[in-house]
Amino acid sequence: MAIFYCVPEMASPSSLLSEEQFLCSICLDVFTDPVTISCGHNFCMACISGYWNTTDQCPMCKQRFYTRTELRVNTFIAEMAAQFRKLVQVKAPSSPGEQPAEPEKLSCDVCTGKKLKALKSCLQCLTSYCETHLQPHVIAPALKRHKLIDPVDNLEDRMCKKHDRLLELFCKTDQTCVCQFCTETDHKTHHTTPLEEEFGERKAQLGKTESQVQQMIRERLQKVKDIKRSVEVSKKDAKREITDGVQFFTALVQSIERSQADLIAVIEKKQKAAEMQAEGLINELEQEITELKRRCTELEQLSHTEDHLHLLQRFPSLCSPMNTRNWSKISVYSDLCVGNLRRAVSQLEETVTKEMLKLCDAELKRVQQWSVDVTLDPDTRHHNLVMSEDGKKVRDGYRQHTLQHDPERFWNVPSVMGKEGFSSGRFYYEVQVEGKTTWFLGLMRESTNRALLLRSPDNGFWIARLIDDQFCPIGGTRVCLQKKLRRVGVFVDYEEGQVSFYDVENKSHIFSFIGDTFTEKLYPYFNPGRYDDGGGDNSAPLVITPVNHTD
């Protein structure tokens, strides 16, 4: 009895906490119904009974029992544990370092009643502990070897489902976490490393990935700015086009209204003149008719007379020719407006042409704002072609040149591509074609077969050819040119699927490929034609020229 009362009297909460024998190594709580098994270790009756349902070893010393002994409560340890529990309960509320678990924080798995916030989670015990219940892991030699981490939920997920052992290794072969038993069975021949080692590698990789993701974020934020800026530019362009369109159609409507009014006035004036002419003719005819009727009456009367003298005297005056007009060649024209409508339409056409020239001039100025610097790619040029050192001129060289074989090179057609490719947006460049009898210009897809002879949009070419002073889009309708082309502008709207050609000198639009869908990079295409193509000297080069931005 002296010993019994000595322990609680002399013991303080800190000294009690150092008494490892009062804590169950399975639940890590103060003994409840403590029992002592034959190897001398103590456990809660419920804890050891449950443990022995899965194995026949001692949890502490791993001694195997082939026959299970009857478990009886150790009354001495039970009484000591009760005293220990009372002292701990007195200590817990006054501990300044412990706080009740907040709703969003992980709580202690051991606390009964009011749950305190978990301080650490044990990977061996698969339990989270508050500061008080963590003490055995701090002071007990057997528990110090357990691995503690910051509180985490679902600790059971850290156990191997097949072997009920801690997942402490990583299988690089199958890219999955495994336990030690897994390396002796299913993953026996696989390459495994400790989780800590793989963790270090993956964390370093995470840093790189994070940097890449941040770079992607920055790129996308910049793209958002670019798109917003494009929208603003598009709004300005749309507003300008609306203004130009309204001005054009207003001028056109006004011209039509003026032409209509002039046509009506001319026709009405001519009609009125015709009516007045007809009225005068009718009056004159009616007078002649009256005079003829009078003479007819006199002649009838004279034909009935028996007076010889009277008939002979009146006969000369009545039978002499009357002073009347020859009406066989007199007529009033019914087609008074012949030529008037044609002249009105001709004037209207002149007005439309003038306004169209203004629009084309404005359109060319707008597309010129998308000008880019284009340089020829020597790795793609045909062996007959000669390029300038600056990559801005190309012409037929009359003979073959020794060139290194390159899959990107044109071998069948004397052509060359631009170095720069474009996979979005709009771009524009100009080419001098003066002095040439034939040439090919336009765009081509990056993946297009360079050996193709048939160059059409279906085959990845959007190009046009000059032949017999006619502009001939391959796959399109020929355009007759009023003047010789000296400089050609090429404009591409990637998203709209449009390739347009302009006569820069005359500031006019020539032709557009429209309605295509571009899905890969496009490159400028140049073919100066052979030196004697087109029925004349075609030795002049194609020259990529700077764009002259006019006001």
Side-chain angles (χ1 to χ4, degrees):
M1 294 295 292
I3 296 175
F4 177 81
Y5 288 106
C6 177
V7 174
E9 245 178 38
M10 297 174 60
S12 66
S14 60
S15 63
L16 282 172
L17 287 173
S18 66
E19 296 295 336
E20 186 180 342
Q21 63 270 29
F22 298 126
L23 300 176
C24 174
S25 62
I26 297 178
C27 67
L28 300 178
D29 202 353
V30 181
F31 289 122
T32 302
D33 297 333
V35 296
T36 303
I37 61 177
S38 57
C39 63
H41 292 109
N42 303 313
F43 305 95
C44 299
M45 180 180 289
C47 291
I48 191 62
S49 298
Y51 185 80
W52 276 348
N53 288 335
T54 59
T55 182
D56 56 3
Q57 294 179 337
C58 170
M60 297 292 290
C61 65
K62 304 302 181 183
Q63 179 180 339
R64 189 177 298 277
F65 301 99
Y66 298 99
T67 59
R68 187 174 301 182
T69 59
E70 183 180 356
L71 299 176
R72 294 180 183 274
V73 175
N74 187 323
T75 56
F76 173 76
I77 297 177
E79 189 170 351
M80 295 295 290
Q83 294 293 331
F84 179 83
R85 185 178 290 108
K86 288 179 181 179
L87 289 174
V88 172
Q89 289 174 352
V90 172
K91 173 182 179 291
S94 61
S95 176
E98 295 186 350
Q99 298 178 359
E102 299 175 9
E104 67 275 9
K105 300 294 185 181
L106 191 64
S107 60
C108 177
D109 294 332
V110 182
C111 287
T112 58
K114 189 173 185 179
K115 295 283 188 180
L116 299 179
K117 183 171 65 174
L119 185 63
K120 292 289 182 180
S121 295
C122 177
L123 294 180
Q124 274 70 25
C125 304
L126 299 181
T127 306
S128 298
Y129 302 103
C130 63
E131 184 178 356
T132 298
H133 292 112
L134 184 64
Q135 289 302 316
H137 280 76
V138 177
I139 60 176
L143 300 180
K144 282 183 178 181
R145 294 190 295 270
H146 290 192
K147 185 171 183 179
L148 301 176
I149 61 173
D150 290 334
V152 293
D153 202 0
N154 300 325
L155 283 168
E156 61 274 9
D157 292 342
R158 297 174 178 268
M159 297 294 290
C160 177
K161 305 298 183 185
K162 185 174 183 180
H163 301 108
D164 197 26
R165 290 291 185 271
L166 182 66
L167 297 171
E168 52 188 351
L169 297 170
F170 184 79
C171 176
K172 288 183 172 290
T173 305
D174 291 343
Q175 294 292 299
T176 185
C177 296
V178 297
C179 70
Q180 187 64 44
F181 282 5
C182 290
T183 62
E184 299 174 3
T185 55
D186 298 341
H187 300 265
K188 187 174 182 179
T189 59
H190 294 181
H191 180 204
T192 58
T193 59
L195 287 183
E196 292 81 357
E197 181 180 332
E198 186 66 23
F199 170 81
E201 294 180 5
R202 292 297 176 94
K203 198 161 188 179
Q205 186 177 352
L206 281 177
K208 295 180 181 178
T209 304
E210 182 183 4
S211 299
Q212 293 174 354
V213 172
Q214 288 176 349
Q215 179 62 27
M216 292 172 67
I217 291 173
R218 288 192 292 269
E219 290 174 354
R220 280 149 181 78
L221 288 174
Q222 183 60 44
K223 180 58 71 174
V224 169
K225 292 181 181 179
D226 294 342
I227 292 174
K228 288 182 178 179
R229 188 160 49 247
S230 297
V231 170
E232 292 302 319
V233 172
S234 178
K235 286 181 180 178
K236 292 179 181 179
D237 289 345
K239 186 176 181 180
R240 184 169 56 245
E241 288 196 18
I242 289 173
T243 301
D244 293 344
V246 169
Q247 290 177 351
F248 171 77
F249 284 105
T250 298
L252 183 60
V253 169
Q254 290 174 350
S255 178
I256 292 173
E257 290 175 346
R258 285 195 302 269
S259 298
Q260 179 183 6
D262 293 344
L263 177 65
I264 292 174
V266 169
I267 293 174
E268 288 179 345
K269 182 178 180 180
K270 288 190 175 183
Q271 177 62 25
K272 188 171 292 184
E275 290 176 357
M276 292 180 64
Q277 179 190 13
E279 185 177 351
L281 294 174
I282 290 172
N283 288 335
E284 187 177 349
L285 283 168
E286 288 177 346
Q287 290 176 4
E288 289 189 1
I289 291 171
T290 301
E291 182 63 25
L292 289 172
K293 284 182 177 180
R294 184 186 61 76
R295 177 169 291 195
C296 184
T297 300
E298 290 181 356
L299 288 172
E300 183 180 3
Q301 292 174 354
L302 186 62
S303 65
H304 291 91
T305 185
E306 296 297 334
D307 185 346
H308 302 97
L309 179 64
H310 178 67
L311 186 147
L312 293 174
Q313 290 177 338
R314 294 289 299 159
F315 181 83
S317 62
L318 292 178
C319 292
S320 63
M322 296 184 61
N323 187 21
T324 59
R325 182 183 296 195
N326 182 8
W327 292 97
S328 61
K329 296 183 179 179
I330 303 299
S331 65
V332 177
Y333 293 104
S334 60
D335 54 346
L336 296 176
C337 61
V338 170
N340 293 328
L341 183 58
R342 177 178 50 78
R343 285 191 292 273
V345 173
S346 178
Q347 293 174 357
L348 182 61
E349 184 179 359
E350 291 178 4
T351 302
V352 172
T353 301
K354 183 186 296 185
E355 294 299 325
M356 282 297 297
L357 289 175
K358 291 180 182 179
L359 281 180
C360 288
D361 186 20
E363 179 182 347
L364 182 59
K365 290 177 181 177
R366 283 199 295 272
V367 301
Q368 283 179 334
Q369 69 179 317
W370 304 102
S371 62
V372 295
D373 184 22
V374 175
T375 305
L376 301 173
D377 184 0
D379 293 336
T380 64
R381 70 182 178 104
H382 186 269
H383 49 72
N384 272 13
L385 299 183
V386 177
M387 284 174 43
S388 61
E389 291 185 1
D390 62 359
K392 298 296 184 180
K393 300 179 182 179
V394 61
R395 61 178 176 82
D396 184 56
Y398 311 108
R399 60 186 178 82
Q400 293 187 6
H401 301 271
T402 303
L403 296 173
Q404 182 179 0
H405 179 74
D406 192 312
E408 302 298 316
R409 192 178 304 284
F410 289 94
W411 289 98
N412 294 336
V413 181
S415 307
V416 63
M417 286 169 49
K419 275 187 179 179
E420 300 79 10
F422 304 89
S423 55
S424 64
R426 301 168 180 172
F427 59 95
Y428 172 85
Y429 61 93
E430 293 180 355
V431 183
Q432 179 180 309
V433 297
E434 186 176 7
K436 297 192 66 61
T437 55
T438 187
W439 43 257
F440 296 81
L441 287 176
L443 275 294
M444 63 174 289
R445 279 199 305 258
E446 182 178 26
S447 65
T448 299
N449 184 355
R450 312 294 158 83
L452 286 175
L453 295 177
L454 181 60
R455 290 157 291 174
S456 67
D458 292 338
N459 292 329
F461 289 92
W462 292 267
I463 59 178
R465 180 187 183 186
L466 179 73
I467 184 171
D468 296 331
D469 289 331
Q470 288 186 324
F471 188 87
C472 305
I474 298 180
T477 304
R478 289 192 177 194
V479 179
C480 293
L481 301 171
Q482 295 181 352
K483 296 182 178 180
K484 284 185 175 295
L485 285 172
R486 298 178 61 187
R487 182 178 294 192
V488 177
V490 183
F491 172 71
V492 180
D493 189 328
Y494 193 95
E495 281 70 27
E496 291 294 326
Q498 174 183 335
V499 178
S500 298
F501 298 86
Y502 293 87
D503 181 343
V504 178
E505 187 177 47
N506 293 321
K507 299 179 180 180
S508 60
H509 170 263
I510 305 174
F511 179 83
S512 288
F513 292 100
I514 58 174
D516 289 289
T517 301
F518 302 137
T519 57
E520 58 182 276
K521 192 172 287 188
L522 300 179
Y523 286 84
Y525 173 86
F526 305 86
N527 180 343
R530 302 192 184 278
Y531 69 94
D532 56 353
D533 277 355
D537 183 2
N538 191 41
S539 59
L542 290 175
V543 183
I544 302 171
T545 58
V547 175
N548 181 19
H549 298 274
T550 56
D551 295 332

